[in-house]
Amino acid sequence: MTRDRDFERATTDWLDAGSDSTPPHVIDAVLLAVRTTPQERDLRIPWRIPSMKSPLFAAATVAVILVAVFIAIYGPGLGGTNNAPAAGSTVAPSPTATTRPTPRPTPAPPPIDTMGWNTYESERYGFSIGYPPDWTTIPAEHAWTWARDGGNWLSKGMEAFMAPAYAVRVSVWPIPLEPREMIDSVEDLQAWVANYCDRMDQSAACTDLDS
Amino acid sequence: VDRELVERARAGDQEAFADLVHQVSDTLLGIARRILRDPDLAEDALQNALVSIWRSLPHLRDANRFEGWAFRILINACYAEGPRNRRWASTVRLLGTDVVSSADDIQTISDRDELERAFRRLPLDQRAVFVLHHYVGLPLVAVAETLGIPDGTARSRLHYATRALRAAFDAAQAPAAALTTQERLA
């Protein structure tokens, strides 16, 4: 019993040792960052990139969204419950078809109603994103890094969202910019995405990326 | 924590948030220092956590739960800072110049040194549970809720952390016990 008490006293003394007064420069840096960092709106919105202007984020990050259509990778067996042909799948021609329908312009898809969506808050990466209520969220298990996760489109460093029957996966993760690298325009962003895809060494997966 | 300050900061009031920072920063820094065992990393984690808290405040539903919510953001910031420590940081320790006079003082230093080494060998998730329970004083159920993990997981992490520290403490005690026996025999 004495040993137990000694152990408790020793751990308590050891934990309590030291000063916890926050240095003024730490608070100043935070308050300076707050001045230029907007709060996230508490709305159900698709997604946003957090502000990168804070001096705290010298190693700035860019959020990249990747949409991987799994049905195109694994074949139509994972095609979910609807009967529409899946993206990337092929439809065999009917032997009885004798007439060719007149091509008509494809109607624009109806706007997506996001009012009923849930909001996912990523504390790890500091963003929020809306997702349909029947999708599944898979939180990131570690911070994304080039060394560990570069080249892995299904890395556990990504916050991931899966549609029913795993038909679609949306992944979100931050990627550090190089020192002094700036993204100030859409062209810069497109160039950065192209470079990123090259570094990932799987350029085919970047096809049709829309920045 | 002043609930009204939380409400005002949540509505975007930067002055209220500044007051809030002054209220909570010492507590948060204390937790970060004890988890990371490195003052610089702890300050980085605190800065990142506070900015993240500012950004995310509109999502906080209940101002009364601010403290636990802030702890969780801080712990995640500590997890993010931790790997940097393992890869690049070297540790420099300043030793005091005071003359230690008694055997008890020497034993105390030895105990702390062993506890420190053992704690640094623990994974960050075990450190977080240990600090929230023993330093902050949260019951294990509250620790689990704060970290967003099942109660059993929190209990398990605390068990492993305590076992490792206890083993280190016992190892530090052994030489002293042997010395005492020799002194008696002499």
Side-chain angles (χ1 to χ4, degrees), chain B residues 71-182:
Chain B
F71 286 172
R72 188 169 184 175
I73 292 176
L74 176 77
I75 301 291
N76 284 333
C78 288
Y79 289 167
E81 290 297 325
R84 278 179 47 205
N85 186 25
R86 284 198 296 273
R87 263 186 218 159
W88 295 306
S90 58
T91 303
V92 178
R93 301 180 67 191
L94 293 175
L95 300 178
T97 55
D98 295 340
V99 177
V100 176
S101 56
S102 72
D104 283 348
D105 290 339
I106 294 173
Q107 187 58 45
T108 300
I109 292 173
S110 173
D111 291 347
R112 288 189 181 179
D113 202 42
E114 287 300 328
L115 289 172
E116 183 74 32
R117 288 181 204 209
F119 193 78
R120 284 170 182 265
R121 286 195 292 268
L122 295 177
L124 286 173
D125 52 8
Q126 290 182 19
R127 297 189 203 179
V129 170
F130 191 87
V131 168
L132 287 177
H133 184 61
H134 285 293
Y135 174 69
V136 181
L138 294 180
L140 212 43
V141 175
V143 171
E145 187 182 354
T146 298
L147 296 176
I149 57 177
D151 293 357
T153 304
R155 193 174 299 110
S156 164
R157 289 177 186 174
L158 182 64
H159 167 75
Y160 285 117
T162 306
R163 190 174 68 177
L165 293 177
R166 180 62 194 255
F169 178 77
D170 287 345
Q173 295 288 310
L179 187 64
T180 305
T181 306
Q182 284 178 358

Side-chain angles (χ1 to χ4, degrees), chain A residues 104-126:
Chain A
R104 285 181 297 178
T106 307
I112 298 173
D113 180 9
T114 60
M115 286 302 292
W117 285 22
N118 299 325
T119 300
Y120 179 85
E121 297 170 19
S122 172
E123 291 179 358
R124 181 182 293 279
Y125 295 141

